[in-house]
Amino acid sequence: MTILTDFKDNADGLIDGFQAQFDRYVVKSDFERGEWDCLHHFEASNNESAAYYSGYSQAYAHLENQTHIDVKRGEQ
């Protein structure tokens, strides 16, 4: 039974990884891809369009502001 459970857990992890990569490339615009990368904790890619970096930076700013507000409230 443990072998089957381990296999299922590994298969689920692989499927999740493939789904994440699929989702990244199905996004319509460079801006959305930049947002997606930031929100999923990927480093900004090199040699991307201005729209990509705009999406990444806006998502980053939103996350930083949200973290600052949560910390100020005593949440983390």
Side-chain angles (χ1 to χ4, degrees), residues 10-30:
N10 288 335
D12 288 345
L14 286 172
I15 290 168
D16 290 344
F18 287 128
Q19 185 64 48
Q21 289 302 314
F22 177 78
D23 289 346
R24 180 174 188 267
Y25 290 103
V26 169
V27 174
K28 302 281 189 233
S29 70
D30 286 353

Side-chain angles (χ1 to χ4, degrees), residues 2-11 14 23-24 31 33 35 39-40 46-47 54-57 61 69-70 73:
T2 302
I3 293 172
L4 289 177
T5 302
D6 290 345
F7 177 78
K8 183 186 179 310
D9 290 345
N10 288 335
L14 286 172
D23 289 346
R24 180 174 188 267
F31 182 91
R33 201 162 42 83
E35 284 182 315
L39 295 173
H40 290 88
N46 293 324
N47 302 319
S54 181
Y56 194 99
S57 65
I69 291 168
D70 290 345
R73 288 184 192 149

Side-chain angles (χ1 to χ4, degrees), residues 3 8 10 13 19 21-23 31-35 37-38 41 48 53 58 61 63 66-68 71 76:
I3 293 172
K8 183 186 179 310
N10 288 335
Q19 185 64 48
Q21 289 302 314
F22 177 78
D23 289 346
F31 182 91
E32 292 171 322
R33 201 162 42 83
E35 284 182 315
D37 280 355
C38 181
H41 307 288
E48 294 286 351
Y53 294 118
Q58 286 185 28
L63 290 175
Q66 189 61 47
T67 301
H68 176 71
V71 169
Q76 288 191 22

